[in-house]
């Protein structure tokens, strides 16, 4: 069970791996907005080059990125087909009954498809190159300024890191409980819907009980080790912002500028 | 010797209106540098007593005096710094995502500057022989290894008292011996006082004194040697030492063996010298 | 009921980057009515082997025969289910399996999964609960209201209620206080005496010496030694080299041997030791 890679992080030492999680998170966030600046082939072309630059620099095989598309494939296909059939404008290329495919709708569908692919590729790039704990660190440190408006940044960060730490433990618990119940004759995944739902109870209840017990024990242990919330705490892990991080943000600004300029020139 | 812990007439009920006292008028003293074991069957109140000492629960009545200061709601966080506690379940006290993060956790809570944390984490991990596991996640550690990390976390904070709350009862025999060994070493090195809540004979036999609890009360306080002559050790939550059982049964068979407690090697010596070579 | 393993191999997640071989050519025979001990470190493959006993895992190659049922790599769920009832497995810290509203209902859960009617299941449940020492007034309580020791006994009753022909125990006394440990082993001795084949997975050599008639030592996925505890414990060097330890009686006898006492066979139980010493003392 400890072989499962959460978020499918693939260890490596590429430039992308070594970037500060904060810059990666910011870049990811910004990208989602920037992508709406593109509205023609050139615009999407620029963004596609930018994305594949990132993919290449990560030195991770393309197959992993393609696998990242799989869970979303249904949604993508649905949206694309919807766009193809129901957007109006431009000359009609094809028609069955009341369903029309126009040059405009085809183009639109393609752009939407690209939008999905690029965003998914970028977020996959983030999770493939950043260990979950580092990501959590990045979120906590990045959100730090929000402390000023009373956002419980430290608590959120600690919740994230404790949850991550316990995922393998809870998965082991689940396996153990399932084994125990199977050994008592429990069948899983059989019967009608009602039976299937019922078969979850002998797993869920013991899991809840043991998880609450763990949480209780942990809280007592934390208290005995002097935990009193975020006030006055120091940090063992630190994140170092480096030149490459500034370069990343700069490159995003440049891409934005290019797109804006291109749009204005048309 | 100086008293580092004084417990006076401590009581605790699980529910306020209840008649059932988990801890019922318990009093005892612990001297600096002592190794004290508290034994008893499950439900005798020993774990509750340990948690009361660390201020994790509030006593209904009585006093807890740690290094001369009486424990109150106001000074509990300060006094707690003198006490380090290792709990029974190795997983449920491991907070950090990796070994070094967990050792640092206590220090982070006390605002220790990062430079110092780095040094103390390394030193503590070396002390418990877990240096090579520094970046490992808890899912990859055995129970004994996790408990060693817990001890490292305590060592990094240098308390005066270390309380082991059945810290070895979920470990396999090998893990148990590891932990006992580590605690012995750090006690020696840092002059710690050890309070060990246990069922384990090896742990108990290292004590200077053993406090026996039953139904929330202290039944007796004795040295290991004196206690191990008791025939009803199992009744009070401890294994009977093998040598004591052997000696007793040999006496039942008519062999002349003095009524005192022998360790295994002492008994072997006695038997060889007195009874087997004639 | 007898169980045998014939050249059983097991690989986790075969044909993936996470592939890992856990069992290598395991040949094992648990005789009907025997009390067999399975000994080995964490990582020795104990837990994998255990899961083959009631077909939670199917061998990657080789066969496991439970009574008349043969379990193969391609065995179907229907063929396997009866095995789960015939071989009752009590996992470590079994109290974590409790889930139902009342103690009685939880214990009745197992038999009902094998077609026993609710009334009959509850009758068996009552019987087994009494057997493990849980009194009637606790039957309608929630299992979560009980003490840790009581919860464990309820969980064990839950397995006994299936009336298995083989009882598998994985470190059943882990975490219990000394008295509870003794009571629990006595319970298993009683159950074994009634004809139930018993398999004990343990670290405690004294339990092996006191209860088992056969012993298998597992290391890195292979059986490295098997036979009667009486015989295996004579080879102290082997046990020490594999970090397994010997029963206390044997260890004590070694102390005497080191001082010059002759032992034809090293004793493995306290009573044998006491007898030998008494004999030696009386006959000079």
């Amino acid at each position: 069970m400890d072989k499962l890679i959460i978020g499918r992080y693939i260890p490596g030492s590429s430039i992308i791996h070594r970037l500060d999680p904060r810059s990666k998170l910011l870049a990811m966030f910004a990208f989602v907005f920037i992508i709406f600046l593109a509205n023609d082939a050139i615009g999407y072309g620029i963004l596609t080059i930018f994305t594949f630059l990132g993919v290449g620099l990560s030195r991770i095989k393309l197959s992993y990125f393609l696998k990242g598309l799989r869970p979303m494939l249904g949604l993508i296909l649905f949206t694309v087909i919807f766009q193809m059939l129901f957007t109006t404008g431009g000359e009609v290329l094809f028609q069955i009954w009341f369903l029309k495919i126009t040059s405009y709708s085809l183009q639109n569908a393609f752009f939407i498809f690209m939008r999905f692919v690029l965003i998914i590729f970028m977020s996959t790039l983030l999770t493939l190159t950043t260990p979950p704990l580092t990501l959590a660190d990045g979120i906590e440190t990045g959100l730090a300024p929000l402390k000023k408006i009373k956002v419980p940044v430290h608590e959120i960060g600690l919740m994230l890191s404790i949850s991550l730490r316990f995922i393998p433990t809870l998965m082991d618990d689940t396996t153990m409980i399932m084994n125990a119940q199977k050994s008592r004759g429990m069948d899983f995944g059989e019967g009608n819907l009602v039976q299937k739902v019922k078969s979850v109870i002998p797993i869920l209840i013991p899991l809840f009980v043991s998880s609450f017990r763990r949480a209780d024990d942990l809280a007592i242990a934390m208290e005995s080790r002097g935990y009193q919330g975020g006030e006055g705490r120091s940090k063992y892990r630190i994140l170092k912002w480096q030149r490459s991080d500034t370069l990343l943000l700069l490159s995003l600004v440049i891409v934005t500028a290019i797109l804006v300029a291109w749009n204005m020139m048309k | 010797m100086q008293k580092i812990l004084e417990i006076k007439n401590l009581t605790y009920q699980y529910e306020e209106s209840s008649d059932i006292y988990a801890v019922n008028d318990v009093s005892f003293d612990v001297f600096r540098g002592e190794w004290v074991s508290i034994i008893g069957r499950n439900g005798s109140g020993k774990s509750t007593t340990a948690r009361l000492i660390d201020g994790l629960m509030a006593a209904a009545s009585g006093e807890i005096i740690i290094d001369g200061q009486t424990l109150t709601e106001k000074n509990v966080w300060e006094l707690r710094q003198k006490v380090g506690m290792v709990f029974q379940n190795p997983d449920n006290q491991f907070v950090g995502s990796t070994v070094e993060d967990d050792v640092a956790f206590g220090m982070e809570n006390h605002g220790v500057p990062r430079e110092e944390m780095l040094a103390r984490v390394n030193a503590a991990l070396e002390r418990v022989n877990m240096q090579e596991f520094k970046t490992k996640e808890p899912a990859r550690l055995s129970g004994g290894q996790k408990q060693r990390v817990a001890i490292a976390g305590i060592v990094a904070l240098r308390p005066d008292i270390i309380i082991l709350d059945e810290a070895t009862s979920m470990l396999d025999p090998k893990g148990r011996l590891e932990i006992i060994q580590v605690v012995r070493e750090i006690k020696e090195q840092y002059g710690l006082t050890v309070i060990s809540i246990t069922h384990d004979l090896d742990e108990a036999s290292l004590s200077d004194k053993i406090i026996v609890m039953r139904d929330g009360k202290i039944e007796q306080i004795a040295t290991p040697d004196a206690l191990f002559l008791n025939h009803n050790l199992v009744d009070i939550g401890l294994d009977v030492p093998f040598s004591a059982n052997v000696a007793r049964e040999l006496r039942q068979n008519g062999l002349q063996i003095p009524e005192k407690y022998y360790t295994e090697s002492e008994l072997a010596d006695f038997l060889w010298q007195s009874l087997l070579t004639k | 009921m007898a169980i045998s393993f014939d050249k059983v191999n097991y690989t986790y997640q075969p044909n993936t980057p996470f592939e890992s071989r856990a069992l290598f050519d395991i040949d094992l025979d648990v005789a009907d009515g025997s009390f067999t001990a399975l000994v080995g470190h964490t990582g020795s493959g104990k837990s994998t082997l255990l899961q083959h006993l009631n077909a939670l895992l199917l061998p990657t190659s080789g066969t496991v025969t439970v009574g008349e049922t043969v379990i193969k790599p391609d065995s179907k769920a229907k063929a396997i289910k009866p095995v789960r009832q015939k071989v009752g497995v009590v996992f470590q810290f079994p109290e974590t399996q409790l889930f139902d509203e009342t103690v009685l209902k939880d214990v009745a859960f197992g038999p009902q999964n094998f077609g026993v009617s609710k009334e009959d299941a509850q009758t068996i449940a009552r019987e087994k609960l009494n057997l493990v020492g849980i009194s009637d007034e606790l039957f309608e309580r929630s299992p979560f209201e009980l003490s840790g020791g009581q919860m464990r006994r309820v969980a064990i009753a839950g397995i006994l209620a299936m009336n298995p022909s083989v009882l598998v125990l994985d470190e059943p006394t882990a975490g219990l206080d000394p008295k509870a440990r003794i009571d629990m082993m006595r319970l298993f001795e009683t159950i074994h005496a009634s004809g139930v084949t018993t398999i004990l997975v343990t670290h405690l050599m004294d339990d092996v010496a006191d209860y088992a008639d056969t012993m298998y030592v597992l290391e890195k996925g292979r059986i490295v030694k098997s036979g009667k505890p009486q015989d295996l414990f004579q080879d102290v060097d082997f046990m020490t080299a594999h970090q397994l330890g010997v029963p206390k009686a044997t260890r004590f006898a070694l102390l005497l041997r080191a001082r010059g006492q002759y032992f034809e066979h090293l004793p493995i139980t306290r009573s044998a030791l006491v007898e030998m010493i008494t004999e030696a003392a009386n006959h000079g």
Side-chain angles (χ1 to χ4, degrees):
Chain A
M1 269 294 148
D2 57 9
K3 304 255 169 53
L4 184 74
I5 306 169
I6 318 285
R8 287 183 290 126
Y9 165 64
I10 312 255
S13 53
S14 72
I15 305 174
I16 310 286
H17 280 88
R18 285 181 278 132
L19 285 170
D20 189 301
R22 290 169 292 181
S23 63
K24 285 192 270 189
L25 279 164
L26 261 164
M28 172 67 230
F29 208 59
F31 192 80
V32 173
F33 287 104
I34 295 174
I35 213 169
F36 285 98
L37 288 175
N39 50 22
D40 61 6
I42 304 279
Y44 277 100
I46 295 173
L47 287 173
T48 308
I49 293 173
F50 184 74
T51 306
F52 277 88
L53 212 65
V55 170
L57 285 171
S58 75
R59 295 183 188 276
I60 295 178
K61 286 193 284 194
L62 190 63
S63 56
Y64 284 103
F65 290 88
L66 293 172
K67 270 193 234 166
L69 280 177
R70 266 205 295 178
M72 299 293 278
L73 224 44
L75 179 65
I76 297 175
L77 236 50
F78 176 77
T79 317
V80 165
I81 292 178
F82 195 83
Q83 280 294 314
M84 266 205 305
L85 299 175
F86 294 107
T87 324
T88 48
E91 36 161 314
V92 179
L93 299 170
F94 195 69
Q95 178 159 9
I96 302 178
W97 198 16
F98 68 90
L99 297 169
K100 299 184 243 202
I101 299 181
T102 66
S103 58
Y104 184 64
S105 70
L106 205 60
Q107 186 186 255
N108 233 37
F110 179 69
F111 286 158
I112 290 210
F113 175 73
M114 283 314 291
R115 234 182 265 166
F116 267 115
V117 170
L118 292 177
I119 291 184
I120 290 173
F121 266 40
M122 278 309 235
S123 62
T124 308
L125 181 61
L126 176 65
T127 55
L128 285 177
T129 60
T130 322
L133 184 63
T134 312
L135 213 53
D137 253 343
I139 294 175
E140 187 186 341
T141 317
L143 289 177
L146 292 180
K147 274 192 257 193
K148 301 215 177 87
I149 54 168
K150 306 266 188 188
V151 173
V153 173
H154 154 76
E155 280 77 1
I156 293 174
L158 192 64
M159 269 179 10
L160 269 172
S161 74
I162 290 182
S163 306
L164 284 171
R165 170 261 175 281
F166 271 95
I167 288 176
T169 309
L170 293 179
M171 281 184 358
D172 283 345
D173 280 353
T174 310
T175 307
M176 273 188 349
I177 293 170
M178 282 181 72
N179 278 347
Q181 308 302 31
K182 275 194 219 170
S183 301
R184 290 164 82 187
M186 178 105 232
D187 295 310
F188 294 105
E190 281 182 25
N192 58 38
L193 192 62
V194 175
Q195 284 170 320
K196 281 204 189 126
V197 170
K198 268 179 142 181
S199 73
V200 164
I201 295 179
I203 306 290
L204 233 45
I205 301 209
L207 194 60
F208 266 35
V209 170
S210 94
S211 300
F212 275 116
R213 184 158 300 140
R214 288 192 187 280
D216 204 29
D217 286 350
L218 199 69
I220 293 176
M222 285 168 68
E223 202 184 320
S224 85
R225 295 169 76 178
Y227 180 74
Q228 281 185 278
E231 285 293 315
R233 278 192 111 234
S234 50
K235 269 202 129 257
Y236 182 71
R237 287 181 166 263
I238 52 167
L239 296 170
K240 284 211 186 87
W241 190 273
Q242 289 170 320
R243 208 184 319 150
S244 43
D245 298 297
T246 317
L247 278 172
L248 173 63
L249 293 188
L250 233 58
S251 66
L252 279 165
V253 172
I254 294 173
V255 168
T256 312
I258 295 176
L259 287 171
V260 168
W262 172 251
N263 285 349
M264 294 208 293
M265 285 197 294
K266 279 191 299 195
Chain B
M1 272 204 292
Q2 239 193 334
K3 284 189 197 170
I4 192 153
L5 186 65
E6 291 165 87
I7 308 291
K8 296 188 199 295
N9 308 106
L10 206 58
T11 64
Y12 182 82
Q13 307 139 283
Y14 283 121
E15 269 146 65
E16 271 187 41
S17 55
S18 166
D19 272 336
I20 309 171
Y21 283 85
V23 176
N24 199 344
D25 197 25
V26 165
S27 306
F28 62 91
D29 295 329
V30 178
F31 292 90
R32 196 177 269 278
E34 265 194 314
W35 186 314
V36 176
S37 287
I38 306 182
I39 68 172
R41 296 213 57 194
N42 286 349
S44 56
K46 47 193 207 301
S47 244
T48 311
T49 307
R51 286 168 195 219
L52 288 168
I53 295 174
D54 202 20
L56 295 167
M57 297 197 280
S61 66
E63 273 190 305
I64 299 171
I65 303 173
I66 301 177
D67 207 11
Q69 283 180 279
T70 309
L71 187 66
T72 66
E73 247 180 76
K74 293 213 173 76
N75 64 14
V76 67
W77 293 99
E78 185 207 322
L79 284 183
R80 201 176 272 157
Q81 289 180 50
K82 296 185 186 262
V83 181
M85 208 154 154
V86 184
F87 298 90
Q88 185 182 34
N89 190 317
D91 259 315
N92 299 355
Q93 64 191 328
F94 204 112
V95 180
S97 309
T98 64
V99 166
E100 57 177 335
D101 286 298
D102 192 62
V103 178
F105 181 73
M107 290 189 279
E108 284 179 321
N109 294 336
H110 292 103
V112 174
R114 187 167 179 267
E115 288 298 299
E116 214 184 314
M117 278 204 279
L118 290 168
R120 287 213 237 173
V121 164
N122 282 329
L125 285 175
E126 253 195 73
R127 205 67 221 61
V128 303
N129 251 316
M130 287 290 289
Q131 265 289 50
E132 46 173 297
F133 295 90
K134 191 167 166 186
T135 57
K136 294 271 182 279
E137 292 164 30
R140 296 179 189 264
L141 301 178
S142 70
Q145 289 168 332
K146 282 184 262 208
Q147 293 297 58
R148 274 193 277 163
V149 174
I151 293 174
I154 291 172
V155 164
L157 289 171
R158 277 334 147 61
D160 297 290
I161 304 174
I162 179 169
I163 302 181
L164 304 169
D165 186 359
E166 300 215 40
T168 61
S169 74
M170 283 179 75
L171 306 180
D172 61 28
K174 183 163 164 240
R176 212 169 285 176
L177 287 174
E178 262 172 38
I179 297 305
I180 296 176
Q181 181 64 9
V182 168
V183 174
R184 280 180 89 173
E185 285 172 12
I186 61 171
K187 174 180 184 295
E188 279 306 306
Q189 182 166 11
Y190 301 118
L192 295 175
T193 307
V194 176
I195 300 177
S196 154
I197 318 275
T198 186
H199 293 302
D200 185 71
L201 207 55
D202 294 314
E203 263 181 74
S205 64
L206 289 169
S207 339
D208 297 302
K209 66 179 182 241
I210 301 180
I211 298 173
V212 183
M213 286 189 73
R214 191 200 288 270
D215 294 327
K217 285 181 176 286
I218 293 187
E219 199 174 75
Q220 83 177 123
I221 301 183
T223 61
D225 276 12
L227 199 67
F228 291 162
L229 283 179
N230 183 334
H231 297 318
N232 291 324
L233 282 176
V234 163
D235 227 9
I236 52 176
L238 204 62
D239 274 316
V240 179
F242 185 74
S243 51
N245 272 331
V246 171
R248 191 191 72 231
E249 286 171 17
L250 288 172
R251 281 187 209 109
Q252 280 167 1
N253 284 359
L255 270 63
Q256 299 298 330
I257 304 176
E259 291 271 350
K260 68 184 230 309
Y261 173 65
Y262 290 93
T263 62
E264 279 180 38
S265 53
E266 285 169 357
L267 185 62
D269 280 331
F270 175 81
L271 288 173
W272 180 247
Q273 282 151 20
S274 323
L275 295 175
L276 297 170
T277 37
K278 281 198 234 162
Chain C
M1 178 164 296
I3 298 183
S4 63
F5 280 52
D6 190 15
K7 292 254 172 313
V8 169
N9 286 282
Y10 190 78
T11 308
Y12 281 99
Q13 301 181 287
N15 305 320
T16 69
F18 306 117
E19 184 172 298
S20 107
R21 184 85 174 273
L23 295 178
F24 296 80
D25 286 335
I26 301 285
D27 286 319
L28 197 141
D29 276 295
V30 177
D32 177 36
S34 67
F35 197 124
T36 304
L38 190 58
V39 161
H41 291 296
T42 324
S44 59
K46 254 187 325 187
S47 143
T48 310
L49 201 151
L50 192 81
Q51 290 177 68
H52 279 82
L53 290 168
N54 71 342
L56 278 176
L57 292 176
L58 297 176
T60 309
S61 73
T63 58
V64 176
T65 311
V66 177
E68 301 287 306
T69 315
V70 180
I71 303 165
K72 291 183 284 195
D74 55 3
S75 289
K76 297 281 180 272
K78 241 182 160 179
I80 288 170
K81 182 146 182 199
V83 175
R84 303 262 166 92
Q85 177 269 321
K86 297 208 186 89
V87 181
V89 178
V90 179
F91 288 97
Q92 219 179 351
F93 301 111
E95 52 272 18
T96 52
Q97 88 200 20
L98 300 176
F99 73 95
D100 223 326
E101 292 165 45
T102 68
V103 164
L104 194 68
K105 279 193 190 159
D106 199 286
V107 176
F109 175 71
Q112 283 178 81
N113 286 327
F114 293 102
V116 175
S117 76
K118 189 162 158 199
E119 289 77 36
D120 288 342
Q122 295 206 344
T123 311
I124 301 174
R126 286 198 186 87
E127 186 199 314
K128 300 302 176 186
L129 280 165
N130 282 141
L131 179 66
V132 301
I134 297 287
S135 52
D136 290 32
E137 64 250 20
L138 295 175
F139 288 3
E140 291 304 314
R141 298 266 286 275
S142 157
F144 302 111
E145 286 173 33
L146 305 182
S147 74
Q150 288 171 325
M151 281 172 73
R152 180 165 303 187
R153 282 183 276 151
V154 170
I156 292 173
I159 304 294
L160 296 176
M162 300 192 302
N163 273 328
S165 313
V166 182
L167 188 63
V168 182
L169 306 160
D170 187 4
E171 313 266 6
T173 59
L176 296 179
D177 70 36
K179 180 155 199 311
R181 268 191 257 130
I182 295 175
D183 288 344
M184 186 140 288
M185 290 311 294
R186 287 222 182 103
L187 168 68
F188 297 133
E189 207 177 14
T190 310
I191 295 171
H192 173 246
S194 73
V196 175
T197 310
T198 309
I199 301 177
L200 177 70
V201 180
T202 185
H203 285 116
L204 307 169
M205 298 302 139
D206 280 285
D207 283 349
V208 177
D210 290 336
Y211 301 103
D213 49 53
T214 320
M215 180 178 165
Y216 282 90
V217 180
L218 198 63
E219 190 170 282
K220 296 206 181 100
R222 284 172 228 269
I223 307 272
V224 294
K225 241 202 203 305
S226 62
K228 299 206 184 95
Q230 178 72 300
D231 299 328
L232 262 61
F233 285 131
Q234 300 299 317
D235 192 350
V236 181
D237 291 329
F238 177 86
M239 288 296 163
T240 318
H242 292 263
Q243 301 189 301
L244 287 170
V246 289
K248 295 200 183 77
T250 314
R251 212 176 54 206
F252 191 83
L254 288 170
L255 289 178
L256 287 176
R257 191 187 255 180
R259 285 156 178 77
Q261 177 64 36
Y262 171 72
F263 284 98
E264 195 188 327
H265 291 291
L266 292 168
I268 63 172
T269 63
R270 193 173 80 218
S271 47
L273 173 74
V274 168
E275 224 182 275
M276 286 184 196
I277 297 176
T278 310
E279 264 260 355
N282 288 337
H283 294 265

